[in-house]
Structure formats: C-alpha cells, structure tokens
Amino acid sequence: MGFPEYLAARESLVLYGQPVLTYILLVSLLQFLVSVLYLWKKNDTYYGNLIKLLYISTALYIVGFLFLIKFHVQVYNTVLIEYPVFLRQMIPVETSRFAIPLWIENEKLYFWTMATSVFVLIMQRRKDIVAFLGVILAVFSTIVYFFSNPFIDPLPRAHSEITGWYATLAAGDPAIYQAAGSLFGRITYYYNSTYMWTHPPMLFIAYASLIITAAACVYMLIRQDRIYDEIAYRYAKIGYILLTTGMLIGYPWAIEAWKDSAWWWDPKISGSIMMWVLYSAYLHARIYVNRNKMWNTTAYLGIICFLSLVFTYLLTYIVPGIHSVVQP
Amino acid sequence: MKLQGLKYDYYLIILTTFILFAIGIVCLYAITYYNYLAVDPQWTRTGQYMDFINSMDSYLYPFLILLLVTLGLCIPKRLLDRDILVKFCALALGVTLILTFSSGIEAALGFLLVVMIGIQSYVLILVFRRSKAVRFEKEGYVVRLGSTLLHLGIVIVIFNFVNLREAQFHIPVFWIGTLLITAGNIFSFYPARISSLFHTK
C-alpha cells in the first residue's frame, strides 16, 4: 500500500462520487421547482412530491458521504509518512498517517447541506417552512456542485501535501527535513487533532439547525403566528448549545496549534463571537416574546443572526487571517 | 408592584440585548480594521498587530463591564431587594471606575469579574440547597440550576480570558467554565427532559 493506491482511491472517488452529486443537483432543481409551486399554489400534491424529493436528495447526500468516508479510510491506509532519522530525535513519533476529518476544504459545505437536509426531514412538519427550506436547500446544493464540489478534485490541499511529500522523497531532496517537519505539524495539530474532529462538525450541525430558526423567523414576520416562533426557538436551542460548546472547544486547540501565530482578534474568530453574541441577544430578547410585540423584534433578530452566520462562514473566503484561504 | 417588577426585568433584558448587539458591532469593526491593516501581508509580525489587539480590547472591555453590571443587576435580584441591588451595583461600578483610572481597565474588569464569580457561586450554593432566599423568574429546580450554572460559567470564562491568560491553570479553568456553560445551557433549555432523567421535581 502506498502512493499509487492512494491515487487509485482518489480516482475512484471522482468516478463514483461525481455522478451522485450530479443526481443531487438534478433532484435539487426539481425540488426547487416543486417548492416554488407549492408556495405559490398551496397544492398538497406538490408538497407530497417535495417530501419525496427531499428524501431522495438526503439519501443521495448520505450515499455521497459514505463514498467520502471510504476515501478518507483509504487515505489513512495508503499514505504512510516515515520521518527521516534526524527528525525522529525531535518528534515523539517515527511515522504518521492522515486521519482526515470529513468536513474540511471542499467537503465543508457538503457536510453542512447534508446536515440541513436531515434536519428538514426530521423537523416538525410545517408545510410552508419545509417548502421554503426546499428552496434554500436547492440553492445550497447548486453552490456545492459548482463552487464546493468534494468529488471533482478531492481534498486539493491535502492532495498537494501528499504528492509534494512523495515527490520530495523520490528526489532524495535535502529539503526533506523541512517538508517532514511541516507535515508533522500539519498532521498532528490539524488533520489528526481531536479538536478538528469535534469543533467543526458541532458548528456545522449548529448552522444546519439555525437555518431552520431563520426560516421560521421569516414566516413569523409573514404570518404573525406564534407557532413559528416556537419552531424558531426549538431549533435555536439546539443550535445555540452546539454553537457555544463548539466555539469554546476551538480555544484550547488554537492555543496548542497556533502558539507562535497571530490569531487573537482574527476575523473568523471576531465573526464567530459576533454571531454568538447576536444569538445570545436573540435568546435573551425572546424571554419577553409576549410583551410589546417583542416577537417582531426577536424575529428580525433571528434573521440578522442568520445573516451574521452566513457572513462568518464566508469570512474564510473573503478576508485574510489565520482561518482564511485568502492571501492579502 | 408585580407590574413594576416585570417592567424592571423587561428593561434589563432590553438593555442586555443592546449591549450584546454593541459587542457584535465591535467585532464587525475588528473584522473591517483587520482587513484594512492586512494590505501589508507582514503586518502581524510588526508592532502594529499588538496595537490592534490593544485597541480592540479597549473597545470591547467597556461593553463587557456594562454586560457584567447588567448581570449584576439581574442575578443578585434573586437575593436582594431592588433598592439594595441598585446601590450594590452603583458601588461595584464606582469601584470599577476608580480601578480603571488607577490600575487600568483590565484590573477593573478583573475586580468586577471576581465580584460576579463570588455572587454567582453563592447563588449556586443557595440553589443547590433549594433555599427560599433566592428568587427566580422561572419556576423549576432544573431551570434555576441551569441558569445559575450558565451565568457562573460565562463569568469564569471571561475572567479566564481577560485576567488568567498567562496563568498555569488557564486551560483547566477554561474547561471548568466550558463544562458549566454547556451544562447550564442544556439544563435551561431542556428542564423537563433533565428532570425525568434524574427524577427530580
């Protein structure tokens, strides 16, 4: 087992995964159409079809996710980093394997969308909110397909690190010590870190739950019916618990992994704190939801919170910083 | 009287919401300012980065102080009458202001946080003992416990960030705060389920 097997596994993921995502896109486009038709005509036949399409797209997401799991296991089994003897005196291990989590690089949005699909299927059935979320999910699936496709070029950054390592190894390059050293740091503090396996998924599941809160807040403003506030609150509770704990878990990780880096007041961290205080404000305001049309304020707050969530997610791609993929 | 009490709590909630919102705006400003400074890719290696951190801290801390004062007005209301409470908060704020000018805002914030930790811990003990001296808006042992744990966890975590960043026990204290916040959230949001889990009424 080695580099050729790794490359074969990667090709296999492209071969089997890409068609699954294409089907997801097609089903999502239909889902978009049926959702809009239901919102417009309020015909239960459209709603019945929408639910079927939601089941199909969620099942396809799960199938694609299983392919991703298989690929990640294959990466673990095929890629073995054996550190040079000189380096072994300075680090606690002789070899490393990549235990890559399933929510990094172009897999992030896929994971978030899949989690949202599952939430939509298990949520209390309010037809209008489900249809509204059907539209949102279709938009998400389209973005996944065109801008964050995990199957077309699987894990590009990890791939360049793996191929770079094997190229250096084959060339007998003296730079191997430097390459091995930086790879050790990357594997230990990023890919294989326990925090990487807990911090991001908690946040993405929280985001999935908070999408439902936002949708319910929109309907709260349109319909002015208390039931929507209750739905918003129900999912805000789940989201807030995961968001708070997930964010906090990131702190000791940052201290461990970025001890020599500039991360205090990093834009992504500032954005996350902003999002958290806004959700705290929402939950605080909601205590008096029945007074002086407070529900109106909380509904607006819920929508502002969600906009801050999307903004925080996008910060990785638009503002430089330690969390970012953007170079100044 | 009841209506007045309700009004008081209502305005306190509104005030807390505004303060939280203001902290959000400070964070938004931090993002914009960081982006502006990052035109020079090496700026975090210069003294400019330390200046940035210090100035952002100085914008955040006054709002944290305000937040703690509103917490101070919110939490001991479970122990004290409103008149005593307002006097107590005015005193705490006065000492905080004196400390801000004499020893700096970090020390002042530290003082306020220690006071809050003391009060929250006392409330927690009373809640554990099911004391009638402590009054809550919401009924139910688990909700009360959750609310107290959550507030105690938050003040511990903020104190840890502001004043214990260099301390040896920084991380253990952080985990204690995190545990309290998580438990507090779960207890506050799902009291019925927690009660049925422990058969507590």
Side-chain angles (χ1 to χ4, degrees):
Chain A
M1 296 286 257
F3 189 55
E5 286 79 7
Y6 158 73
L7 289 177
R10 196 165 183 271
E11 273 178 34
S12 165
L13 179 68
V14 176
L15 190 70
Y16 293 107
Q18 185 57 27
V20 173
L21 200 61
T22 308
Y23 286 125
I24 289 175
L25 180 70
L26 293 174
V27 173
S28 296
L29 292 176
L30 274 175
Q31 190 179 295
F32 179 87
L33 193 69
V34 175
S35 299
V36 171
L37 281 171
Y38 174 76
L39 290 170
W40 185 25
K41 302 212 165 174
K42 303 283 175 219
N43 185 329
D44 278 349
T45 315
Y46 291 128
Y47 183 74
N49 289 328
L50 170 62
I51 292 297
K52 282 176 197 157
L53 289 168
L54 277 170
Y55 271 110
I56 295 168
S57 64
T58 309
L60 286 169
Y61 265 110
I62 292 168
V63 169
F65 194 62
L66 291 173
F67 285 145
L68 287 175
I69 293 173
K70 188 184 171 202
F71 173 60
H72 283 239
V73 172
Q74 285 171 323
V75 173
Y76 182 85
N77 287 332
T78 54
V79 181
L80 177 69
I81 307 297
E82 291 182 271
Y83 297 110
V85 178
F86 175 73
L87 195 69
R88 286 181 201 175
Q89 294 163 358
M90 292 185 281
I91 57 174
V93 291
E94 294 186 355
T95 59
S96 287
R97 288 188 183 275
F98 282 84
I100 302 177
L102 293 140
W103 29 80
I104 62 164
E105 301 193 35
N106 46 14
E107 294 171 355
K108 277 192 277 191
L109 195 60
Y110 185 93
F111 183 76
W112 180 11
T113 313
M114 183 183 70
T116 310
S117 298
V118 173
F119 267 115
V120 171
L121 281 182
I122 60 174
M123 74 177 283
Q124 189 198 25
R125 292 290 164 79
R126 293 293 306 180
K127 291 179 180 176
D128 38 13
I129 293 190
V130 171
F132 184 59
L133 287 165
V135 174
I136 292 175
L137 277 172
V139 172
F140 266 64
S141 295
T142 310
I143 297 171
V144 168
Y145 187 87
F146 289 106
F147 303 104
S148 187
N149 186 332
F151 301 109
I152 203 158
D153 178 19
L155 302 174
R157 185 157 180 198
H159 179 65
S160 78
E161 284 166 353
I162 292 167
T163 48
W165 167 255
Y166 280 109
T168 314
L169 202 63
D173 201 322
I176 192 160
Y177 294 109
Q178 199 189 341
S182 62
L183 208 52
F184 169 74
R186 189 93 175 127
I187 292 173
T188 310
Y189 298 114
Y190 185 64
Y191 295 121
N192 295 17
S193 167
T194 317
Y195 298 115
M196 188 65 200
W197 282 85
T198 47
H199 168 73
M202 285 175 92
L203 296 183
F204 288 130
I205 296 169
Y207 290 0
S209 184
L210 294 169
I211 285 183
I212 298 174
T213 297
C217 285
V218 169
Y219 269 88
M220 180 78 187
L221 288 174
I222 297 170
R223 298 278 159 81
Q224 309 208 345
D225 184 342
R226 183 68 198 268
I227 185 78
Y228 297 104
D229 170 68
E230 281 165 16
I231 294 171
Y233 182 54
R234 186 176 310 147
Y235 287 91
K237 287 191 292 187
I238 301 169
Y240 189 75
I241 291 172
L242 290 169
L243 190 70
T244 308
T245 310
M247 273 173 62
L248 285 169
I249 283 174
Y251 179 69
W253 185 24
I255 289 180
E256 189 183 296
W258 293 334
K259 48 182 166 245
D260 298 320
S261 307
W263 61 274
W264 207 253
W265 283 104
D266 170 75
K268 185 84 173 182
I269 293 169
S270 302
S272 302
I273 295 170
M274 176 180 71
M275 173 177 57
W276 185 82
V277 291
L278 289 177
Y279 273 108
S280 302
Y282 165 78
L283 289 168
H284 252 88
R286 214 203 146 273
I287 295 174
Y288 285 93
V289 75
N290 290 325
R291 278 176 63 93
N292 295 349
K293 283 203 163 186
M294 194 69 166
W295 58 265
N296 209 15
T297 313
T298 58
Y300 278 117
L301 258 176
I303 294 165
I304 293 170
C305 288
F306 184 68
L307 293 177
S308 79
L309 186 159
V310 175
F311 176 65
T312 303
Y313 179 81
L314 291 176
L315 277 173
T316 308
Y317 305 98
I318 54 175
V319 174
I322 201 153
H323 273 92
S324 179
V325 294
V326 181
Q327 295 305 316
Chain B
M1 278 303 280
K2 197 181 175 189
L3 190 68
Q4 277 182 344
L6 264 174
K7 252 186 186 169
Y8 172 83
D9 289 338
Y10 174 67
Y11 288 124
L12 210 54
I13 291 286
I14 299 286
L15 182 64
T16 311
T17 306
F18 271 111
I19 294 167
L20 289 168
F21 216 84
I23 293 174
I25 289 170
V26 171
C27 293
L28 190 63
Y29 175 70
I31 295 164
T32 317
Y33 194 25
Y34 187 106
N35 196 30
Y36 166 73
L37 293 170
V39 174
D40 170 16
Q42 297 302 315
W43 81 281
T44 53
R45 294 173 196 274
T46 66
Q48 217 177 6
Y49 182 58
M50 240 11 251
D51 292 344
F52 167 72
I53 288 178
N54 289 335
S55 66
M56 290 322 302
D57 283 351
S58 71
Y59 299 145
L60 176 71
Y61 288 167
F63 290 110
L64 276 186
I65 288 174
L66 279 176
L67 186 68
L68 289 166
V69 171
T70 55
L71 268 183
L73 285 165
C74 175
I75 299 305
K77 75 171 183 261
R78 295 163 184 177
L79 291 170
L80 308 167
D81 285 334
R82 200 173 342 140
D83 290 348
I84 302 170
L85 184 60
V86 172
K87 283 175 191 161
F88 168 83
C89 279
L91 182 70
L93 193 60
V95 175
T96 307
L97 281 175
I98 291 166
L99 277 174
T100 303
F101 291 113
S102 64
S103 315
I105 197 162
E106 218 164 281
L109 191 54
F111 159 76
L112 202 56
L113 283 159
V114 168
V115 171
M116 289 305 152
I117 290 171
I119 293 169
Q120 295 288 352
S121 305
Y122 182 54
V123 172
L124 184 64
I125 291 165
L126 291 179
V127 171
F128 263 129
R129 287 183 176 173
R130 296 171 191 257
S131 165
K132 287 186 178 166
V134 61
R135 298 184 294 274
F136 276 82
E137 285 304 307
K138 289 186 178 176
E139 290 300 318
Y141 177 69
V142 178
V143 178
R144 292 170 177 195
L145 190 60
S147 169
T148 314
L149 288 173
L150 177 62
H151 286 93
L152 179 61
I154 286 173
V155 285
I156 286 177
V157 164
I158 298 175
F159 180 61
N160 199 32
F161 282 161
V162 175
N163 299 95
L164 302 179
R165 237 182 284 174
E166 306 298 326
Q168 223 177 1
F169 42 85
H170 178 59
I171 293 295
V173 172
F174 167 81
W175 283 119
I176 291 168
T178 301
L179 197 71
L180 291 173
I181 290 172
T182 308
N185 268 329
I186 295 170
F187 282 31
S188 303
F189 289 151
Y190 302 103
R193 288 185 192 183
I194 300 294
S195 290
S196 64
L197 214 62
F198 294 104
H199 305 289
T200 310
K201 282 189 180 174

mmCIF file of all heavy atoms in Angstrom, chain B residues 181-197:
data_model
loop_
_atom_site.group_PDB
_atom_site.id
_atom_site.type_symbol
_atom_site.label_atom_id
_atom_site.label_comp_id
_atom_site.label_asym_id
_atom_site.label_seq_id
_atom_site.Cartn_x
_atom_site.Cartn_y
_atom_site.Cartn_z
ATOM 1 N N ILE B 181 -20.964 26.107 31.327
ATOM 2 C CA ILE B 181 -21.805 26.741 30.297
ATOM 3 C C ILE B 181 -22.635 25.691 29.563
ATOM 4 O O ILE B 181 -23.847 25.852 29.365
ATOM 5 C CB ILE B 181 -20.929 27.537 29.294
ATOM 6 C CG1 ILE B 181 -20.349 28.777 29.965
ATOM 7 C CG2 ILE B 181 -21.739 27.943 28.064
ATOM 8 C CD1 ILE B 181 -19.326 29.529 29.123
ATOM 9 N N THR B 182 -21.983 24.594 29.175
ATOM 10 C CA THR B 182 -22.692 23.549 28.423
ATOM 11 C C THR B 182 -23.807 22.940 29.277
ATOM 12 O O THR B 182 -24.954 22.816 28.826
ATOM 13 C CB THR B 182 -21.708 22.459 27.959
ATOM 14 O OG1 THR B 182 -20.626 23.104 27.277
ATOM 15 C CG2 THR B 182 -22.356 21.460 27.028
ATOM 16 N N ALA B 183 -23.456 22.598 30.520
ATOM 17 C CA ALA B 183 -24.470 22.017 31.413
ATOM 18 C C ALA B 183 -25.589 23.032 31.649
ATOM 19 O O ALA B 183 -26.776 22.684 31.621
ATOM 20 C CB ALA B 183 -23.828 21.605 32.737
ATOM 21 N N GLY B 184 -25.209 24.298 31.858
ATOM 22 C CA GLY B 184 -26.192 25.349 32.101
ATOM 23 C C GLY B 184 -27.153 25.505 30.939
ATOM 24 O O GLY B 184 -28.364 25.625 31.129
ATOM 25 N N ASN B 185 -26.593 25.497 29.718
ATOM 26 C CA ASN B 185 -27.436 25.592 28.520
ATOM 27 C C ASN B 185 -28.418 24.432 28.441
ATOM 28 O O ASN B 185 -29.614 24.627 28.200
ATOM 29 C CB ASN B 185 -26.552 25.566 27.257
ATOM 30 C CG ASN B 185 -26.163 26.956 26.805
ATOM 31 O OD1 ASN B 185 -26.907 27.902 26.992
ATOM 32 N ND2 ASN B 185 -25.001 27.071 26.204
ATOM 33 N N ILE B 186 -27.904 23.226 28.622
ATOM 34 C CA ILE B 186 -28.759 22.030 28.495
ATOM 35 C C ILE B 186 -29.847 22.051 29.576
ATOM 36 O O ILE B 186 -31.026 21.809 29.301
ATOM 37 C CB ILE B 186 -27.916 20.738 28.559
ATOM 38 C CG1 ILE B 186 -26.981 20.671 27.337
ATOM 39 C CG2 ILE B 186 -28.793 19.492 28.619
ATOM 40 C CD1 ILE B 186 -25.935 19.587 27.396
ATOM 41 N N PHE B 187 -29.465 22.362 30.804
ATOM 42 C CA PHE B 187 -30.429 22.394 31.912
ATOM 43 C C PHE B 187 -31.490 23.484 31.680
ATOM 44 O O PHE B 187 -32.663 23.279 31.979
ATOM 45 C CB PHE B 187 -29.718 22.652 33.245
ATOM 46 C CG PHE B 187 -29.027 21.438 33.816
ATOM 47 C CD1 PHE B 187 -28.494 20.463 32.997
ATOM 48 C CD2 PHE B 187 -28.897 21.275 35.186
ATOM 49 C CE1 PHE B 187 -27.853 19.352 33.515
ATOM 50 C CE2 PHE B 187 -28.253 20.164 35.721
ATOM 51 C CZ PHE B 187 -27.730 19.201 34.881
ATOM 52 N N SER B 188 -31.051 24.642 31.165
ATOM 53 C CA SER B 188 -32.008 25.748 30.969
ATOM 54 C C SER B 188 -32.971 25.461 29.828
ATOM 55 O O SER B 188 -34.142 25.810 29.899
ATOM 56 C CB SER B 188 -31.278 27.050 30.630
ATOM 57 O OG SER B 188 -30.370 27.362 31.614
ATOM 58 N N PHE B 189 -32.453 24.840 28.757
ATOM 59 C CA PHE B 189 -33.287 24.646 27.572
ATOM 60 C C PHE B 189 -34.167 23.388 27.642
ATOM 61 O O PHE B 189 -35.209 23.333 27.019
ATOM 62 C CB PHE B 189 -32.407 24.564 26.317
ATOM 63 C CG PHE B 189 -31.785 25.878 25.916
ATOM 64 C CD1 PHE B 189 -30.563 25.922 25.255
ATOM 65 C CD2 PHE B 189 -32.423 27.081 26.180
ATOM 66 C CE1 PHE B 189 -29.992 27.129 24.877
ATOM 67 C CE2 PHE B 189 -31.864 28.288 25.808
ATOM 68 C CZ PHE B 189 -30.646 28.310 25.158
ATOM 69 N N TYR B 190 -33.688 22.376 28.348
ATOM 70 C CA TYR B 190 -34.451 21.109 28.386
ATOM 71 C C TYR B 190 -34.713 20.654 29.831
ATOM 72 O O TYR B 190 -34.347 19.532 30.201
ATOM 73 C CB TYR B 190 -33.690 20.020 27.611
ATOM 74 C CG TYR B 190 -33.429 20.410 26.177
ATOM 75 C CD1 TYR B 190 -32.163 20.837 25.772
ATOM 76 C CD2 TYR B 190 -34.436 20.388 25.222
ATOM 77 C CE1 TYR B 190 -31.927 21.233 24.464
ATOM 78 C CE2 TYR B 190 -34.215 20.779 23.921
ATOM 79 C CZ TYR B 190 -32.952 21.202 23.547
ATOM 80 O OH TYR B 190 -32.720 21.589 22.256
ATOM 81 N N PRO B 191 -35.345 21.502 30.637
ATOM 82 C CA PRO B 191 -35.516 21.137 32.050
ATOM 83 C C PRO B 191 -36.373 19.892 32.256
ATOM 84 O O PRO B 191 -36.060 19.065 33.122
ATOM 85 C CB PRO B 191 -36.192 22.377 32.657
ATOM 86 C CG PRO B 191 -36.771 23.119 31.517
ATOM 87 C CD PRO B 191 -35.911 22.816 30.335
ATOM 88 N N ALA B 192 -37.415 19.748 31.427
ATOM 89 C CA ALA B 192 -38.315 18.598 31.627
ATOM 90 C C ALA B 192 -37.584 17.283 31.378
ATOM 91 O O ALA B 192 -37.710 16.329 32.150
ATOM 92 C CB ALA B 192 -39.520 18.727 30.707
ATOM 93 N N ARG B 193 -36.798 17.273 30.315
ATOM 94 C CA ARG B 193 -36.069 16.033 29.989
ATOM 95 C C ARG B 193 -35.025 15.718 31.046
ATOM 96 O O ARG B 193 -34.824 14.564 31.411
ATOM 97 C CB ARG B 193 -35.391 16.158 28.626
ATOM 98 C CG ARG B 193 -36.401 16.116 27.515
ATOM 99 C CD ARG B 193 -35.740 16.124 26.176
ATOM 100 N NE ARG B 193 -36.755 16.380 25.163
ATOM 101 C CZ ARG B 193 -36.529 16.392 23.877
ATOM 102 N NH1 ARG B 193 -35.318 16.167 23.425
ATOM 103 N NH2 ARG B 193 -37.485 16.629 23.018
ATOM 104 N N ILE B 194 -34.350 16.745 31.525
ATOM 105 C CA ILE B 194 -33.323 16.530 32.551
ATOM 106 C C ILE B 194 -33.989 16.050 33.833
ATOM 107 O O ILE B 194 -33.506 15.123 34.489
ATOM 108 C CB ILE B 194 -32.518 17.835 32.816
ATOM 109 C CG1 ILE B 194 -31.815 18.306 31.534
ATOM 110 C CG2 ILE B 194 -31.510 17.656 33.948
ATOM 111 C CD1 ILE B 194 -30.732 17.396 31.014
ATOM 112 N N SER B 195 -35.125 16.658 34.167
ATOM 113 C CA SER B 195 -35.846 16.243 35.378
ATOM 114 C C SER B 195 -36.241 14.782 35.301
ATOM 115 O O SER B 195 -36.065 14.034 36.264
ATOM 116 C CB SER B 195 -37.119 17.075 35.539
ATOM 117 O OG SER B 195 -36.795 18.366 35.875
ATOM 118 N N SER B 196 -36.760 14.392 34.126
ATOM 119 C CA SER B 196 -37.199 12.996 34.009
ATOM 120 C C SER B 196 -36.005 12.049 34.065
ATOM 121 O O SER B 196 -36.104 10.911 34.508
ATOM 122 C CB SER B 196 -37.991 12.787 32.723
ATOM 123 O OG SER B 196 -37.155 13.021 31.618
ATOM 124 N N LEU B 197 -34.840 12.566 33.636
ATOM 125 C CA LEU B 197 -33.619 11.749 33.666
ATOM 126 C C LEU B 197 -33.183 11.464 35.102
ATOM 127 O O LEU B 197 -32.759 10.376 35.445
ATOM 128 C CB LEU B 197 -32.521 12.509 32.921
ATOM 129 C CG LEU B 197 -31.501 11.725 32.136
ATOM 130 C CD1 LEU B 197 -32.155 10.946 31.018
ATOM 131 C CD2 LEU B 197 -30.452 12.675 31.546
#
